[in-house]
Amino acid sequence: MDGILALWKERGMTSHDCVFKLRKILHMKKIGHGGTLDPEVDGVLPICVGKGTKVIEFLQDGGKVYEGEITLGYATDTEDRYGQVIDKTSITRPFSAAEIDEAMAGFVGKITQIPPMYSAVKVNGRKLYEYARAGETVERPQRQVNIASFVRTSEPYYDEVQQVQSWRFRVECGKGTYVRTLAVDTGTKLGVAACMTDLTRLASGGFDKQQAVTLEEVAQAVENERVSEILLPLEYALKDMPRVDIADELWQRVKNGSRLKACELQLKMMPEGPVAVFYNESAVSIYEANPKEKNGLKPLKVLRTEMENN
């Protein structure tokens, strides 16, 4: 069983919990997820099965879409509503929709983020959340991320009693973006404490909410012997990658991981990124430019060395 599954992760579960349960449901060990979701966040979690695990990194490189809620008035150590409050700003005058929209618009494009302490980013071999839980501080690395769209999707709501203000948002972003940090930084731009108070991932790895299935639905598919109806081929992860089809004479070399010339793959010019190599309509390898050889390419990942239907 090889392929990619779009799982709808429910709240209260870690991404690893989902993998653990799927190993039991599908009766196989070779399963991995294509992008961590926090336990308190629900949404689309791409799952790679069998040979599909070889293309996990390409699913993770894709864009993501989230919807959620930002609340002004307090900040937490985890940057969401589940952490300890570390700062408060009483919102005595609610911000106008125009002020909020202007602040959010400033984050569209390539921006620099500092990942939250409660995150899986590694510094000196340890994850940031391990430092945080131990009460230790460490300098966090800055990272460049891309925000394609960041818009308000509801009217701002002002709670006069609690002196906080909230609104719903939708964000389309690239790899490595921390939406929690985006919420905090929006508050900073407005000059007040803020955090993310709700989040759902609507799309990831080319999958959207409409394609996703629950763990219960996967179990039912196994019971009814209909897993093939919900499992997409590993080629799905390569759909946005340039494709090259090879004939029999190159197949032996490609499956053995041989280096090739661009002309052998019928490439008129050297590719700027990875190229998916297909044989008999199946993806068998991924090649990339070899910096040590003029007009040469080397295998980035060998996907198949045998053809099931060949």
Side-chain angles (χ1 to χ4, degrees):
M1 188 185 301
D2 305 307
I4 306 169
L5 179 73
L7 184 73
W8 185 263
K9 188 190 84 66
E10 299 176 359
R11 300 192 180 200
M13 300 178 64
T14 66
S15 299
H16 181 72
D17 289 338
C18 294
V19 170
F20 179 78
K21 289 180 180 293
L22 283 170
R23 284 172 178 160
K24 287 190 172 183
I25 293 171
L26 298 174
H27 307 293
M28 61 186 302
K29 291 183 178 180
K30 203 170 184 180
I31 298 177
H33 64 77
T36 302
L37 266 182
D38 291 341
E40 300 82 10
V41 179
D42 59 355
V44 179
L45 179 65
I47 298 288
C48 295
V49 178
K51 288 187 177 71
T53 55
K54 294 185 177 183
V55 297
I56 283 180
E57 63 191 90
F58 304 107
L59 287 174
Q60 293 173 332
D61 287 344
K64 299 173 177 64
V65 179
Y66 297 88
E67 67 174 11
E69 181 184 69
I70 295 173
T71 297
L72 308 179
Y74 68 98
T76 69
D77 55 359
T78 58
E79 301 188 349
D80 59 22
R81 68 188 179 94
Y82 299 98
Q84 297 292 320
V85 175
I86 56 173
D87 189 19
K88 281 189 175 183
T89 307
S90 296
I91 308 298
T92 55
R93 180 192 70 81
F95 291 92
S96 68
E99 289 174 313
I100 292 170
D101 292 345
E102 183 181 359
M104 294 175 69
F107 292 100
V108 175
K110 287 188 177 181
I111 64 169
T112 300
Q113 279 193 332
I114 298 177
M117 278 300 296
Y118 281 89
S119 66
V121 174
K122 284 189 175 181
V123 175
N124 300 325
R126 292 175 64 192
K127 295 177 180 178
L128 284 177
Y129 68 73
E130 293 175 336
Y131 288 103
R133 290 172 180 172
E136 302 173 22
T137 57
V138 66
E139 186 175 350
R140 291 171 281 171
Q142 293 185 346
R143 54 166 62 180
Q144 293 286 315
V145 298
N146 187 60
I147 309 299
S149 174
F150 184 34
V151 295
R152 178 176 52 84
T153 58
S154 75
E155 288 300 315
Y157 169 74
Y158 178 56
D159 186 329
E160 189 174 3
V161 176
Q162 299 294 327
Q163 292 190 319
V164 298
Q165 187 176 18
S166 305
W167 69 90
R168 303 287 301 175
F169 69 89
R170 179 185 175 96
V171 60
E172 297 179 31
C173 55
K175 178 182 178 182
T177 303
Y178 277 94
V179 184
R180 286 177 285 158
T181 302
L182 200 56
V184 171
D185 290 346
T186 299
T188 300
K189 181 161 282 193
L190 290 168
V192 298
C195 68
M196 183 188 75
T197 44
D198 184 55
L199 192 66
T200 294
R201 187 156 75 189
L202 299 178
S204 178
F207 293 100
D208 59 29
K209 183 178 182 179
Q210 285 67 39
Q211 295 170 284
V213 291
T214 64
L215 285 169
E216 183 179 351
E217 289 171 328
V218 176
Q220 290 174 352
V222 171
E223 186 178 344
N224 298 326
E225 298 183 351
R226 300 176 66 178
V227 177
S228 60
E229 295 180 14
I230 61 173
L231 193 67
L232 286 170
L234 65 84
E235 284 80 4
Y236 187 86
L238 313 178
K239 59 184 174 58
D240 296 326
M241 197 178 290
R243 168 176 170 166
V244 172
D245 287 85
I246 60 171
D248 294 344
E249 56 266 25
L250 271 187
W251 165 233
Q252 290 297 324
R253 293 177 62 193
V254 168
K255 78 175 186 178
N256 290 328
S258 299
R259 296 177 179 177
L260 299 171
K261 291 289 187 180
C263 59
E264 292 181 285
L265 290 175
Q266 299 182 351
L267 294 171
K268 295 181 180 179
M269 56 190 301
M270 289 297 290
E272 295 182 359
V275 174
V277 178
F278 279 67
Y279 174 62
N280 283 356
E281 295 302 318
S282 294
V284 293
S285 188
I286 298 171
Y287 272 72
E288 65 178 353
N290 182 3
K292 297 181 180 179
E293 184 180 2
K294 185 178 180 180
N295 296 323
L297 293 99
K298 62 179 181 177
L300 173 63
K301 186 97 60 174
V302 176
L303 304 177
R304 291 184 172 99
T305 56
E306 296 180 2
M307 300 299 294
E308 292 83 352
N309 299 318
N310 198 32

